[in-house]
Amino acid sequence: MIDSKAGRGTSRRELLGLGLGAGAASLLGGLGGAYAQARPLVPPQKPRGQVIAGISQEPTVFNPLMPGSEVDQGVWWQLFNPLWSIDPQGRLVADLASEVPSVENGGLSADGLVWKIKLRRDVKWHDGTPFTAEDVKYTLDLINTPGFRVRNRVGHSLVREITVVAPDEIHWRMESAYSPYLSILALTFIVPRHILEKAQDPNTAPFNSAPVGTGAFRWGERVAGDHLLLQANPAHHGEGPYLERVVFKYIPDLTMLYTQFRTGQIDYLGLSGISAHFVKEAQGLRGRKLSLSPTAFIEHIALNLEFAPFADKAVREALYLGMNKQARIEALYYGLPVPTESFLPQQSWAYDPSLPAQRHDPAKANALLDAAGWARGSDGIRQKNGVRLEFANSTTVGNPGREQSQQLLMQDWRTLGVAMRINNMPGAVIWGEFWQKSKFESVMVGSNFMLGNDPDVTPRFSSKAIPAKAGSGLNTYQYQNPEIDRLLAEGASQFDQAQRKATYGKIQKIIRDDLVLLPIYQTVMAEGIKDGLQGFAANINCSSNCWNMRSWFWAS
Amino acid sequence: MIPFLLRRLWQSLILLTIVSMIGFAILYLAPGGPMSQFAQSAQMSQEDLDRIARQLGLDRPLPVQYWDWLLRMLSGDWGRSFRDNSPVWSVIGSHLRATFELMAVSTLIAIALGCWIGILGAIRRYSIFDMVATVGAMVALSIPTFWFGLIAIYLFSVQLGWLPAGNRQTIGDGSFLDVAHHLIAPALVLALVETAIWARFMRSAMLDVIGQDYIRTARAKGLPEQAVLRGHAMRNALLPLITLAGLQFPTLLGGALVTETVFTWPGMGRLFLDSVEYRDYPVVMGILMFSAVMVLLGSLLADMLYAVADPRIRMG
């Protein structure tokens, strides 16, 4: 947390009054963070005032089961509730369920196959209809309905024999034990049966453009291309809401977004955050604060391991040794991101901090390539058995940070006798078949590898998840390792967190050692908050830091 | 007039078909697609992506997709947006008002100001006013619209705090005064280039007319100068500008696209850019066809007005 009011001290009395926000700040640790509170926290008795949240993508999908972006998910958090959610510390917290199922409380059978969920009795939909177990059953059934345009069925497709035992209790059986399902359900919002079952086709139901949920805010109005307004739901079952209205204001241009935050038209600037080159200026703005919030996105160089030069591990090691990671972080991103060696964010319970730290060592990289038989040609570029050490690197056009980063990488690797070409494309092109079907040689990309807060990376590294080889997943690296396959299967069927941590620690070590990808840094987002706005708490486990707007309020 | 209209209608239909075929082919053959936005999600498997593409009908051959789109379009169904699943006509409709609001106000400013500058420049040819107006018009025509927009925001919003730094209204307000306050900067910026064009055309047309014999005759008859200019020169000088008005429509739409982006104005321009970025084919095709119809209508209207304004022109 950086306070824009540099030099301002905090009195003992103020410190005593910090409460929840500051508590969250200390728990988040690292750069992280919750927006430290400078005034005593006294939420109003009745919802009061509004918050305008500036976002660079327009929310367009309001059925929370359909394919949507992170900004859509930011809206879903206000309108809907999952059975349980994940707090900033990574703990599962009951929401529509009265308790999170576990082996200890009898919610999960010892083999992880039988799930028994108890629900709250005091929850109502926005139209006043009581929420029941039938809604949960309907939601799970709808997800698995063949014609429904659901986002994905990971985990849900394993659910069998759903039984509504009582209005406040539901049971089901899993086809096989799958522990990440707890985390997946924490990001699965429950939809109302009594409304959607009346629709001829849930894909085109009026509900999708005027949703009814159980969340802290009700649907207000949407002005397409401009903003979305949500009204407080006074009958909300949980904490809050303390605001009368929440407005998601869509401003696609990042400079304009920041300008409007600067001129006071926007109270909170999140999702895309403040561009790195504006951060220093933003820290000096009067009446504004910044939260440097770590995200789950890991910036890395994705290598296509079927591309001949990258199949040689020595080449991957040399490229990693030759990469001046820290210079890039300092020069291009003003030191904001955190260098990393893992595909998991450092806030994950499964993160392994013991992975070997990368050193920038061009001499060692050159020696490695010499030893591996990659000899320099007359033009200084290395080759081996007629294969030149030359490849293309691609990323999205119009991302100045990445484009400058590519220039630095070209220079870094040129000194090793490696020729890197830049082949950038628009997002809609690069993330299409080029990425999905592994048609690239190397790509500079930021990815969130986790399922919610679960470290299961089967879709990323399993040999059965290679789309270019008819697999089901996003292993676009085309990585194949029987040991990893075994560990992934083991991790997904374990329910003890300590055991799982050990399993995913092994996976991180192997991926780091094999250099399936060249990790660069964990992204840190600079979010702007107007002075006086309380309750903001960055949560790396949710897809949006708007996850708890129900707790936001203006200091009186 | 009726045979003329029927001929133009027939020509327009052929033109629209060609536009739709070219637009559809370019859009669908361009690399990338609407599924790319989900491709990086860890939860999305290739099966999920393929399933959703199939549900959107993207797995069918291009001619089949075109034929299906054409039949639906002719029956009044413009399809549904890939992004928000709403009917295309309602997506376009929700953005139309903002664009027309901006275009109408800026066009009125441009015509009023441009004609006045042009006429005065022609009457006072080579005067200081004329020279300043000429240089001003050249500057306005040479510098891109977005630059003027950014300067206006920096000066009037960031530094002086007089005008909002964008948006169409204050959320929760939306009164006439509030909308007008938000409209000032974008409308003036959009009007700037248009004013320069109108001023140059008006000056040139006016110079042509005041050199004609009938103007000399009117003056020789002893008519006051004001009456000569208003009654004889201006009316005739305005005639070619009717065509300009019709032809300026597409230019204005292009200008609105840039202005809307800079001022975060929720109009068609921004919708078009967003839809192209997300490869929202149904919406892009809808905007393309709507714009093509508007351009054809603008041109037809200009021809008809020209005939009404100048009885020497006959149609048929």
Side-chain angles (χ1 to χ4, degrees), chain A residues 124 141 289 343 368:
Chain A
K124 284 193 164 53
D141 284 341
K289 287 180 177 164
F343 52 83
L368 204 63

Side-chain angles (χ1 to χ4, degrees), chain A residues 69-141:
Chain A
S69 64
E70 284 154 26
V71 72
D72 292 319
Q73 294 180 35
V75 175
W76 300 344
W77 277 111
Q78 320 315 322
L79 294 166
F80 299 95
N81 298 90
L83 292 171
W84 45 83
S85 60
I86 310 169
D87 73 4
Q89 291 76 51
R91 296 175 301 216
L92 294 172
V93 179
D95 192 340
L96 292 176
S98 58
E99 61 182 12
V100 180
S102 64
V103 177
E104 291 73 33
N105 66 19
L108 292 176
S109 60
D111 58 4
L113 292 177
V114 180
W115 292 51
K116 296 178 177 176
I117 316 293
K118 289 178 181 154
L119 305 171
R120 287 177 73 126
R121 296 174 184 176
D122 57 344
V123 182
K124 284 193 164 53
W125 294 98
H126 292 154
D127 61 3
T129 308
F131 157 81
T132 70
E134 292 291 351
D135 294 307
V136 181
K137 181 178 187 304
Y138 178 80
T139 300
L140 297 179
D141 284 341

Side-chain angles (χ1 to χ4, degrees), chain A residues 473-529:
Chain A
L474 282 173
N475 183 355
T476 52
Y477 315 100
Q478 307 206 58
Y479 178 61
Q480 297 184 71
N481 183 333
E483 176 63 2
I484 284 285
D485 287 344
R486 188 188 68 76
L487 287 168
L488 287 171
E490 188 175 296
S493 59
Q494 290 170 321
F495 280 84
D496 181 85
Q497 199 176 80
Q499 285 178 3
R500 294 194 77 204
K501 187 174 165 69
T503 306
Y504 289 102
K506 287 180 198 163
I507 291 172
Q508 286 171 81
K509 280 193 174 67
I510 295 171
I511 299 291
R512 167 65 180 82
D513 183 56
D514 274 352
L515 285 171
V516 179
L517 49 96
L518 309 183
I520 309 177
Y521 57 75
Q522 181 185 343
T523 307
V524 173
M525 183 167 55
E527 295 179 284
I529 302 142

Side-chain angles (χ1 to χ4, degrees), chain A residues 228-523:
Chain A
L228 172 70
L229 190 149
L230 306 178
Q231 303 278 7
N233 169 25
H236 181 236
H237 59 276
E239 189 201 356
Y242 304 124
L243 295 165
E244 272 181 286
R245 285 178 303 276
V246 164
V247 176
F248 289 91
K249 171 73 188 159
Y250 163 57
I251 300 169
D253 183 271
L254 292 181
T255 304
M256 285 310 300
L257 190 58
Y258 171 68
T259 303
Q260 296 202 14
F261 173 66
R262 189 181 155 175
T263 55
Q265 288 167 280
I266 285 170
D267 303 311
Y268 162 70
L269 195 169
L271 189 73
S272 49
I274 296 172
S275 302
H277 60 283
F278 284 132
V279 167
K280 198 170 171 57
E281 182 193 83
Q283 284 168 350
L285 289 179
R286 287 186 64 188
R288 309 284 186 279
K289 287 180 177 164
L290 291 193
S291 166
L292 298 180
S293 318
T295 77
F297 282 85
I298 305 297
E299 184 81 3
H300 64 278
I301 306 287
L303 303 173
N304 183 350
L305 301 179
E306 293 285 307
F307 177 63
F310 297 147
D312 186 345
K313 190 179 168 186
V315 169
R316 304 198 295 270
E317 283 179 352
L319 290 177
Y320 200 44
L321 281 166
M323 179 197 291
N324 192 346
K325 204 188 266 197
Q326 197 57 39
R328 184 157 302 112
I329 290 171
E330 294 296 334
L332 304 178
Y333 296 100
Y334 304 85
L336 288 180
V338 184
T340 192
E341 303 297 336
S342 172
F343 52 83
L344 289 180
Q346 298 181 12
Q347 290 70 21
S348 166
W349 56 262
Y351 174 72
D352 182 356
S354 69
L355 298 175
Q358 184 254 14
R359 281 183 303 114
H360 178 223
D361 192 344
K364 191 174 176 188
N366 269 310
L368 204 63
L369 288 172
D370 288 339
W374 290 92
R376 285 182 191 261
S378 55
D379 58 354
I381 304 303
R382 293 176 184 272
Q383 46 188 313
K384 181 180 174 182
N385 303 330
V387 177
R388 265 169 71 83
L389 198 36
E390 181 180 5
F391 61 89
N393 183 262
S394 308
T395 197
T396 321
V397 286
N399 184 325
R402 284 206 183 126
E403 284 168 349
Q404 289 166 354
S405 191
Q406 285 177 316
Q407 300 286 342
L408 293 178
L409 270 182
M410 263 175 83
Q411 289 172 25
D412 285 350
W413 288 341
R414 181 79 201 182
T415 61
L416 308 183
V418 177
M420 182 188 118
R421 285 174 282 109
I422 294 175
N423 178 27
N424 293 345
M425 293 172 248
V429 180
I430 200 164
W431 308 124
E433 282 214 344
F434 182 74
W435 170 250
Q436 292 165 28
K437 297 285 168 71
S438 301
K439 292 180 177 172
F440 61 91
E441 290 171 2
S442 72
V443 165
M444 190 177 286
V445 56
S447 304
N448 178 357
F449 289 82
M450 298 208 298
L451 297 172
N453 79 332
D454 197 277
D456 179 32
V457 279
T458 307
R460 296 288 185 167
F461 300 122
S462 160
S463 59
K464 290 176 186 159
I466 304 172
K469 292 177 177 164
S472 168
L474 282 173
N475 183 355
T476 52
Y477 315 100
Q478 307 206 58
Y479 178 61
Q480 297 184 71
N481 183 333
E483 176 63 2
I484 284 285
D485 287 344
R486 188 188 68 76
L487 287 168
L488 287 171
E490 188 175 296
S493 59
Q494 290 170 321
F495 280 84
D496 181 85
Q497 199 176 80
Q499 285 178 3
R500 294 194 77 204
K501 187 174 165 69
T503 306
Y504 289 102
K506 287 180 198 163
I507 291 172
Q508 286 171 81
K509 280 193 174 67
I510 295 171
I511 299 291
R512 167 65 180 82
D513 183 56
D514 274 352
L515 285 171
V516 179
L517 49 96
L518 309 183
I520 309 177
Y521 57 75
Q522 181 185 343
T523 307

Side-chain angles (χ1 to χ4, degrees), chain B residues 10-309:
Chain B
W10 174 240
Q11 288 168 349
S12 299
L13 281 177
I14 294 174
L15 211 61
L16 285 174
T17 310
I18 294 170
V19 166
S20 72
M21 287 173 87
I22 294 174
F24 203 88
I26 289 176
L27 201 59
Y28 278 74
L29 294 178
M35 300 317 298
S36 59
Q37 58 184 306
F38 309 118
Q40 287 185 70
S41 166
Q43 290 184 41
M44 278 285 193
S45 68
Q46 190 58 39
E47 269 175 351
D48 291 322
L49 294 169
D50 292 344
R51 173 178 50 78
I52 296 167
R54 206 165 44 247
Q55 286 169 340
L56 293 173
L58 293 167
D59 58 332
R60 299 169 301 164
L62 188 62
V64 175
Q65 288 189 52
Y66 176 73
W67 185 245
D68 180 55
W69 172 84
L70 190 66
L71 289 181
R72 278 195 286 109
M73 195 80 173
L74 291 174
S75 68
D77 175 8
W78 293 26
R80 281 178 175 267
S81 162
F82 286 167
R83 268 205 302 158
D84 71 358
N85 209 24
S86 304
V88 169
W89 59 265
S90 86
V91 176
I92 292 177
S94 62
H95 288 73
L96 256 184
R97 188 178 156 188
T99 292
F100 277 134
E101 208 169 79
L102 183 61
M103 281 173 63
V105 174
S106 61
T107 305
L108 284 177
I109 296 170
I111 292 177
L113 210 63
C115 288
W116 178 74
I117 294 170
I119 291 166
L120 217 61
I123 296 168
R124 300 181 188 169
R125 198 179 180 188
Y126 303 134
S127 65
I128 291 178
F129 175 86
D130 186 33
M131 284 192 281
V132 170
T134 303
V135 172
M138 288 305 146
V139 169
L141 287 170
S142 318
I143 295 175
T145 316
F146 76 85
W147 188 84
F148 288 117
L150 293 176
I151 292 296
I153 290 168
Y154 179 73
L155 204 64
F156 298 112
S157 308
V158 177
Q159 291 301 319
L160 299 170
W162 292 351
L163 297 173
N167 309 329
R168 187 170 161 263
Q169 63 178 79
T170 307
I171 295 163
D173 188 339
S175 61
F176 175 77
L177 278 179
D178 180 63
V179 173
H181 191 215
H182 282 78
L183 198 53
I184 295 171
L188 284 177
V189 166
L190 184 56
L192 202 65
V193 177
E194 292 301 302
T195 305
I197 294 170
W198 279 89
R200 296 310 294 161
F201 267 84
M202 193 66 208
R203 182 181 181 274
S204 162
M206 195 70 178
L207 281 175
D208 269 355
V209 171
I210 55 179
Q212 298 288 320
D213 288 346
Y214 63 88
I215 298 290
R216 264 200 300 280
T217 309
R219 282 177 178 146
K221 282 198 304 187
L223 270 180
E225 188 61 18
Q226 286 294 320
V228 173
L229 291 174
R230 280 193 190 145
H232 296 273
M234 272 166 60
R235 277 191 67 172
N236 286 302
L238 279 169
L239 269 177
L241 297 183
I242 293 174
T243 315
L244 178 67
L247 296 177
Q248 274 302 92
F249 191 81
T251 317
L252 206 59
L253 267 180
L257 193 140
V258 175
T259 314
E260 285 176 4
T261 305
V262 173
F263 286 96
T264 59
W265 196 263
M268 295 275 286
R270 268 182 47 192
L271 174 68
F272 184 71
L273 285 182
D274 282 354
S275 305
V276 169
E277 193 181 327
Y278 284 95
R279 298 288 199 272
D280 193 347
Y281 302 147
V283 176
V284 175
M285 281 309 291
I287 297 174
L288 192 71
M289 297 315 291
F290 179 80
S291 305
V293 169
M294 287 292 116
V295 169
L296 289 172
L297 271 180
S299 151
L300 180 65
L301 208 65
D303 284 350
M304 288 166 66
L305 281 175
Y306 208 86
V308 172

